[in-house]
Amino acid sequence: MSGQGAERLKVLLVDDELGYLEVLNKRMSKRNLEVTPVSSGTEAVRQAREQSFDVAVVDLKMEDMDGIEVLKVLKMMDPNLAVIILTGHGSEQAAREGMALGAFDYLTKPCELGDLLTRIYASQER
Amino acid sequence: MQTARIRPAAYYRTLTRNLVLFVVVISLLPLFLTGAIILHQFKQAYQTKVEENLEVLLNKHRRTIDAFLIDRLADIRVLARSYTVPELQDPAFLKAKLGLLREEYNGVYVDLGLVDAKGAQVAYAGPYNLAGANYSTAQWFRQASKSEHFVSNVFAGLRGSPHFIVAAKKRYQGRDWLLKATIDFESFNALVENIRIGETGFAFILNRQSEFQTKPRQEVILASGAWRQLLQEPLDPGRVTIVERPDSLGQAMIYAAAPLKKGQWIICAQQEVSDAFVHLVQAQRAAIAIFVIGGLLIVVATLILARRLVRRIAEADEQKESMNEKMIEAGRLASIGELAAGIAHEINNPVAIMVEEAGWIEDLMSDEGPMSEETLSEIQRAVQQIQEQGERCKQITHKLLSFARKTDPTIKPVDINGLVGEVLGLVGQKSRYAGVKLTTALDKDLPRVAASPSELQQVLLNLVNNAVDAISSEGGTVKVTTSLENGAVRMSVSDTGIGIADANLARIFDPFYTTKPVGQGTGLGLSICYGIINKLGGEITVTSAKGKGSTFTVILPARQDSNPATTGAPRAGQA
């Protein structure tokens, strides 16, 4: 895969769906990514405050904090952070709203892991 | 499917009947009243006319008869004054004078005679052998002796046939004499007998003792009834007395009487009322016939028009019902559409987990070398996770299908608390992401209501959807309450949302009226709710305070035979 170097990419994975978070973490880790999985927007913001990430993959709909809100905060904290929005919502309107707020790209659930990885690496080639 | 809600045939039959009755009464009543008033006025006028005619006729003949008697008396008085007793005692002289009178008056005079003060007829000219006849005991002689001139009643006398006498007193050389003439009864009778009033009317003359002075009429019963009563009354000499009474056979008659001969005689007339009023009766019959025919035409025309009108109304009702069905269905789809995004999210998450777990198994199996126990255990966990997520998808689709399949509009007993549970289950995901807390306060003893479960579910879904939509991103609460109040089931949906402006409140149930952004609301939801609740005989109201929230309340009549629906729902809690 392009972009695969000695230094592992640091990915912040944010999703309140624990099952999804767990399996995606495993698969991404297996593909040499340093994944920090968090299950809430609040936790994501806390992690971003403690360490820097190359990419954040954020679920749009979460109970405590909306994905768009998380995007806004993360971009405020680190404007260079690439944020990829994941949405299980039928409407793509919110995801496009996220693009307007500076998200790198969006994907709809369920998606191929290959597609997600392609976007993660593409975000680092900007 | 439609039969449960279309109005029954009896409704249209009643509508037709009421319509026909209304139009017929409104049309015929004025016609009837006008006809009755005109007929009454016409009857009054006609009665007056009949009485006036009778009065004129009777007065005319009274004058004629009085004139006849005065003329005859005058003839005799002239004879008595013009000639001496010796001349009048001469039979040849009397015969000559009788001849002249008979010639002049066409046989009215029957005979002439001179009677002395003792009642002996001293001279006679006439067809009978009455010379020397003695009238000293005759009633007419006694009455005539007392006055200067005299007209007797009709009597049979010595000749045995009806006649009457006209007599004038003559004083000659200190002694009183009577010159008398006998008047031909037939000639006198003809004066009255020829009077014809209509087809059944006739006239006759009576004296004060109710004895016929003209030929007796068999159809006149004097001893009883109207005549008896009339003849006992003191008749006004100047006018004709008219009364209308039934005769002894029950036949309605008009009786008229007027005095003549200075009140000694009475000229009488009688006529059948049906004959006197024949033209009135004909007019009445014609009017009634026109009224009946006109009335029948109005009734038939009204019946035809009412049936056509009611048929059109029934067709319009059917069309309206069909459109209502379509509108409700459209609203139903719109409600599902509003849920679709949330439901898609709910399904996409487990599907995404399944896809990733499958990918993870693939990852593990593609590892080189023998499969470790740890790897096998991880594969088992992944497979179990796929099964669990599949089950989760199944439950979601079942929940959705249970709503989508409920399309039966048939009215049946519905447990509202159960319905609340179903609907809150559907909007749970949407409300969760919108930061809206769903709470309930349900009366566990709530009786069932008669409604279509699918339609009532739609009402509740619309209200809860709207309530969730009304709450801003800061979050809030939607509370569904059920209770029994005054025999009616009350269900209210309250939210802590933005509230409704007063200007919008009045139009909130209007079709196609929405305050939601373009593309997010059809404007049909509340209109459909209103239609459904109204159709069930219920009521839907709204109260709202801008910035504080709104409460929609549905009141439905409780089924009388309903037992409380035990749903196991908490009396108050969080959905």
Side-chain angles (χ1 to χ4, degrees):
Chain A
M1 286 184 192
S2 62
Q4 268 182 306
E7 200 173 325
R8 296 166 73 195
L9 282 178
K10 292 183 76 176
V11 179
L12 177 64
L13 188 58
V14 192
D15 200 315
D16 63 348
E17 190 68 48
L18 293 177
Y20 190 65
L21 193 68
E22 190 186 338
V23 69
L24 203 58
N25 175 29
K26 284 175 184 168
R27 294 194 74 192
M28 287 169 82
S29 301
K30 194 173 172 64
R31 282 161 179 77
N32 206 29
L33 293 169
E34 189 183 331
V35 181
T36 304
V38 292
S39 63
S40 70
T42 320
E43 177 65 14
V45 173
R46 198 175 62 79
Q47 285 292 338
R49 210 176 278 140
E50 287 175 4
Q51 54 181 310
S52 66
F53 293 96
D54 299 309
V55 183
V57 178
V58 182
D59 185 27
L60 202 58
K61 289 279 180 187
M62 287 181 295
E63 282 187 42
D64 70 327
M65 202 172 166
D66 192 275
I68 296 292
E69 293 299 314
V70 176
L71 164 71
K72 283 182 192 168
V73 176
L74 291 181
K75 288 302 269 186
M76 215 185 315
M77 289 166 70
D78 179 5
N80 291 322
L81 178 68
V83 180
I84 295 169
I85 291 172
L86 264 186
T87 173
H89 207 272
S91 163
E92 293 180 9
Q93 193 184 345
R96 282 196 288 270
E97 190 189 336
M99 294 289 287
L101 289 168
F104 174 72
D105 207 345
Y106 72 89
L107 279 170
T108 52
K109 287 183 189 175
C111 64
E112 288 292 326
L113 180 64
D115 289 342
L116 177 60
L117 293 176
T118 302
R119 278 167 176 73
I120 288 174
Y121 291 123
S123 71
Q124 299 308 304
E125 288 171 2
R126 285 180 302 177
Chain B
M1 175 170 142
Q2 304 286 331
T3 51
R5 47 186 56 214
I6 288 179
R7 284 167 168 158
Y11 169 82
Y12 294 107
R13 280 200 296 275
T14 309
L15 186 64
T16 308
R17 189 194 62 204
N18 290 348
L19 210 59
V20 169
L21 275 176
F22 180 75
V23 175
V24 165
V25 169
I26 289 294
S27 312
L28 289 188
L29 195 64
L31 196 67
F32 176 77
L33 287 176
T34 310
I37 290 167
I38 289 172
L39 273 182
H40 178 72
Q41 295 292 339
F42 182 56
K43 188 183 174 186
Q44 294 278 339
Y46 201 89
Q47 193 162 14
T48 307
K49 185 81 180 162
V50 165
E51 288 179 1
E52 278 175 2
N53 281 345
L54 205 55
E55 196 173 336
V56 167
L57 188 79
L58 234 53
N59 272 331
K60 181 182 144 195
H61 283 87
R62 174 168 66 174
R63 283 193 293 272
T64 305
I65 293 161
D66 268 339
F68 176 87
L69 295 175
I70 289 165
D71 287 351
R72 299 296 78 76
L73 198 59
D75 290 343
I76 298 306
R77 289 178 73 184
V78 167
L79 272 182
R81 284 188 178 187
S82 304
Y83 303 102
T84 61
V85 169
E87 284 173 318
L88 294 170
Q89 278 180 322
D90 179 3
F93 180 82
L94 271 186
K95 190 177 179 183
K97 294 302 170 194
L98 179 65
L100 278 174
L101 287 170
R102 286 179 65 87
E103 192 181 314
E104 189 65 26
Y105 297 110
N106 204 18
V108 166
Y109 288 94
V110 178
D111 57 19
L112 278 175
L114 185 68
V115 179
D116 66 13
K118 292 178 179 173
Q121 186 158 253
V122 295
Y124 173 77
Y128 301 101
N129 186 20
L130 293 172
N134 185 358
Y135 296 111
S136 60
T137 56
Q139 191 183 13
W140 72 266
F141 175 75
R142 287 203 297 272
Q143 287 175 311
S145 302
K146 293 174 188 167
S147 56
E148 290 300 307
H149 48 83
F150 175 71
V151 178
S152 75
N153 284 331
V154 174
F155 66 104
L158 295 172
R159 67 197 67 184
S161 63
H163 64 283
F164 70 92
I165 285 169
V166 180
K169 190 179 277 185
K170 181 165 179 70
R171 187 170 294 273
Y172 185 73
Q173 294 180 342
R175 291 176 60 192
D176 286 339
W177 300 80
L178 280 176
L179 181 62
K180 75 167 183 71
T182 304
I183 305 299
D184 178 44
F185 179 74
E186 290 297 334
S187 299
F188 176 71
N189 188 63
L191 292 174
V192 179
E193 200 172 50
N194 293 333
I195 299 173
R196 281 282 173 270
I197 310 162
E199 291 289 324
T200 59
F202 56 85
F204 53 93
I205 294 174
L206 300 173
N207 63 12
R208 277 295 180 181
Q209 290 73 46
S210 299
E211 294 165 343
F212 278 100
Q213 302 302 300
T214 48
K215 281 185 182 170
R217 307 285 306 213
Q218 288 183 342
E219 56 269 61
V220 177
I221 301 163
L222 298 169
S224 63
W227 279 126
R228 186 182 176 189
Q229 201 176 346
L230 200 62
L231 294 172
Q232 283 173 350
E233 290 174 12
L235 295 171
D236 185 345
R239 53 185 291 270
V240 177
T241 304
I242 298 171
V243 294
E244 189 181 318
R245 295 205 182 112
D247 66 5
S248 54
L249 298 172
Q251 172 87 36
M253 303 290 281
I254 297 176
Y255 301 97
L260 53 78
K261 199 186 163 213
K262 295 179 180 173
Q264 294 166 2
W265 290 357
I266 302 161
I267 181 166
C268 306
Q270 74 175 53
Q271 186 187 12
E272 289 178 10
V273 168
S274 60
D275 177 33
F277 292 98
V278 65
H279 296 298
L280 176 69
V281 171
Q282 282 171 356
Q284 277 177 333
R285 282 181 185 161
I288 289 168
I290 290 169
F291 179 77
V292 168
I293 292 168
L296 279 175
L297 285 175
I298 288 173
V299 169
V300 170
T302 308
L303 208 61
I304 291 169
L305 286 177
R307 281 189 177 163
R308 281 187 188 169
L309 191 67
V310 170
R311 204 181 307 136
R312 290 274 169 89
I313 291 172
E315 283 169 6
D317 279 351
E318 272 179 39
Q319 283 173 1
K320 186 180 151 204
E321 200 52 51
S322 166
M323 284 188 65
N324 275 345
E325 291 292 340
K326 284 175 185 161
M327 195 163 120
I328 289 171
E329 190 55 33
R332 180 176 193 76
L333 293 174
S335 306
I336 294 173
E338 280 185 42
L339 286 174
I343 287 166
H345 186 265
E346 214 169 336
I347 288 180
N348 281 342
N349 269 331
V351 169
I353 293 172
M354 285 191 281
V355 167
E356 292 306 327
E357 290 289 3
W360 178 233
I361 292 170
E362 201 176 16
D363 287 351
L364 293 174
M365 289 177 76
S366 63
D367 285 348
E368 289 178 2
M371 201 172 283
S372 66
E373 201 171 314
E374 191 186 350
T375 307
L376 271 174
S377 161
E378 183 60 23
I379 290 173
Q380 273 177 351
R381 186 208 57 80
V383 169
Q384 195 182 342
Q385 176 73 304
I386 289 170
Q387 283 172 341
E388 281 173 13
Q389 296 305 320
E391 184 61 30
R392 190 175 152 193
C393 287
K394 189 176 137 191
Q395 280 175 7
I396 296 163
T397 52
H398 275 200
K399 216 189 298 180
L400 190 62
L401 282 175
S402 82
F403 179 78
R405 275 186 193 139
K406 278 185 184 170
T407 55
D408 184 6
T410 311
I411 305 292
K412 53 178 84 163
V414 178
D415 163 26
I416 289 205
N417 287 344
L419 217 59
V420 172
E422 283 177 29
V423 169
L424 294 191
L426 275 174
V427 293
Q429 184 78 0
K430 173 179 170 170
S431 62
R432 209 159 34 246
Y433 289 123
V436 175
K437 195 167 130 188
L438 297 177
T439 63
T440 57
L442 307 179
D443 182 348
K444 65 179 179 184
D445 296 326
L446 200 67
R448 293 166 195 269
V449 296
S452 151
S454 65
E455 289 183 358
L456 214 50
Q457 191 185 45
Q458 192 175 346
V459 170
L460 188 57
L461 182 62
N462 270 325
L463 296 181
V464 175
N465 258 339
N466 282 351
V468 172
D469 290 344
I471 291 170
S472 64
S473 54
E474 281 85 41
T477 306
V478 170
K479 185 176 183 181
V480 182
T481 311
T482 60
S483 60
L484 178 65
E485 284 179 23
N486 301 325
V489 171
R490 186 186 175 96
M491 172 179 77
S492 60
V493 178
S494 308
D495 64 67
T496 56
I498 53 172
I500 305 161
D502 285 347
N504 297 335
L505 216 50
R507 299 179 59 197
I508 202 93
F509 294 111
D510 290 354
F512 304 109
Y513 181 76
T514 182
T515 55
K516 290 183 181 177
V518 176
Q520 285 189 26
T522 58
L524 287 175
L526 285 176
S527 160
I528 289 168
C529 290
Y530 183 85
I532 290 172
I533 297 303
N534 201 34
K535 190 176 64 185
L536 293 173
E539 200 183 317
I540 180 166
T541 55
V542 57
T543 55
S544 185
K546 190 79 181 155
K548 290 184 178 173
S550 310
T551 299
F552 283 82
T553 304
V554 171
I555 296 172
L556 286 168
R559 274 170 59 92
Q560 296 301 316
D561 55 340
S562 173
N563 293 321
T566 46
T567 60
R571 191 169 176 81
Q574 186 175 337

